[in-house]
Amino acid sequence: MPRVYVRKNENYGKTPADVMQRAIDDLKINGKKVREAARDHGIPRGTLRNNLKKVEEGKTILVPNYHHARIFSDEQEDVLAHYAVNCAKMFHGLTTKALRTLAYDLAKANNMKFPSNWDTEKLAGKEWYRGFIRRNPQISIRQPEATSLARATAFNPYTVGVYFDNLECAFRKTGASGAQIFNLDETGLTIVHKVSKVLAPKGLKRMGQVTSAERGELVTLCAIVSAVGQALPPVFIFRRMNFSDLLMTGAPEGSLGLANKSGWMTSENFVYVIDHLVKHVRPSSSYPIILTMDNHESHISYMALEKAKENNITIVTLPPHTSNKTQP
């Protein structure tokens, strides 16, 4: 039998007790035949015949009980599902084993009837878990991202409120429109593409695929985009001691290329990024701009802030460890 049995006849075994009683009364009082009474009341003949036999033997009508093997009621499972959802939202999601252990503890504490193997393993069975997930489609298995405690606790109403208060002050001070609001962020790009699966002789344990290199190096890309969707030419930072124009072959027109030994953004290079922004946007006292970005140490150096102040650029930094939520 399959794990989830699907009835061929959806109405089979779902006859209410009062309908069954009326059909039996037609048989005993009105003298109807089994076939005729079953057709009139929409009951399978075999079911009607079995219940008639029970009544003649002095037994009660068999009322189907589809929840006889349920451990928890619908209300109790709703509470359990709500708890699992809240744990996930608080960055402390329950694992499959933790949920099964919790179900066993609840059943044990409330003296509920449950299979004996629950007591042996000290957790609920796998079949109960599969049924629980099937009955609560709002819950599914997901691979969580590793989140530090600092990031989990930094995103709170007070911190975010202070950020938006600062942003509102910048709006009132500059009177900037959407075209004058820019967001800056960096991302890492690898110079070696990920190889795909290929056909190979059966039994071959190791094989290779030609790429540009065996170990990829990261190239930092700094992107600047306005609130109306205007994207400035990107800034590339290469992991090189000396920059060469050959590195920019094929890059978008107007792109800026920089280099340092780490390949990451530094406070020295960020000054050139500010110059790049000024070159393409041309802010002035009559056209000031607002630049939002994270408060990495390379972004808030004295030289960079002075350069931004001289060129009518108001910098608003995102709260620490909240860029995954507050990034525009």
Side-chain angles (χ1 to χ4, degrees), residues 162-310:
V162 171
Y163 163 68
F164 279 106
D165 288 342
N166 293 335
L167 192 60
E168 183 180 6
C169 290
F171 283 149
R172 292 178 176 178
K173 176 182 176 181
T174 61
S177 63
Q180 297 167 257
I181 305 170
F182 290 84
N183 177 243
L184 179 149
D185 197 16
E186 293 107 0
T187 187
L189 304 176
T190 180
I191 62 173
V192 179
H193 70 276
K194 184 178 179 181
V195 295
S196 304
K197 292 184 178 180
V198 297
L199 300 177
K202 191 172 182 179
L204 183 63
K205 299 300 182 183
R206 300 183 63 181
M207 64 169 298
Q209 182 81 350
V210 174
T211 59
S212 57
E214 293 182 359
R215 293 187 179 182
E217 292 185 2
L218 289 179
V219 175
T220 299
L221 181 145
C222 179
I224 306 174
V225 184
S226 74
V228 297
Q230 176 192 1
L232 302 188
V235 179
F236 297 95
I237 304 175
F238 299 92
R239 188 180 178 184
R240 297 287 188 277
M241 291 300 296
N242 299 306
F243 176 75
S244 171
D245 291 336
L246 294 175
L247 296 172
M248 298 297 291
T249 302
E253 185 177 355
S255 299
L256 175 64
L258 302 171
N260 62 57
K261 62 179 181 180
S262 67
W264 300 104
M265 180 67 73
T266 62
S267 56
E268 293 79 9
N269 281 336
F270 192 71
V271 176
Y272 296 110
V273 175
I274 296 295
D275 289 334
H276 181 71
L277 174 63
V278 172
K279 174 183 176 183
H280 289 278
V281 181
R282 298 187 182 280
S284 62
S285 58
S286 59
Y287 190 78
I289 66 173
I290 296 175
L291 179 64
T292 63
M293 58 186 179
D294 61 65
N295 57 357
H296 190 265
E297 60 181 359
S298 63
H299 295 166
I300 52 177
S301 66
Y302 175 79
M303 295 179 61
L305 295 178
E306 278 296 310
K307 179 76 70 171
K309 184 178 180 180
E310 293 171 1

Side-chain angles (χ1 to χ4, degrees), residues 77-152:
E77 284 205 351
D78 287 342
V79 173
L80 192 57
H82 184 68
Y83 176 74
V85 171
N86 282 343
C87 287
K89 290 181 178 180
M90 294 188 294
F91 301 94
H92 290 281
L94 300 176
T95 62
T96 299
K97 188 174 182 180
L99 177 63
R100 292 169 58 194
T101 302
L102 177 61
Y104 166 74
D105 292 339
L106 290 176
K108 188 75 172 178
N110 291 280
N111 297 319
M112 295 178 174
K113 185 179 179 181
F114 51 81
S116 58
N117 66 317
W118 286 29
D119 260 332
T120 304
E121 300 179 0
K122 302 300 180 184
L123 74 168
K126 293 182 180 179
E127 291 301 325
W128 174 87
Y129 167 74
R130 294 189 182 100
F132 177 79
I133 294 298
R134 187 170 61 251
R135 290 187 294 271
N136 296 275
Q138 73 273 22
I139 300 176
S140 61
I141 297 295
R142 290 288 183 271
Q143 178 65 43
E145 295 182 5
T147 304
S148 64
L149 182 63
R151 183 174 293 276

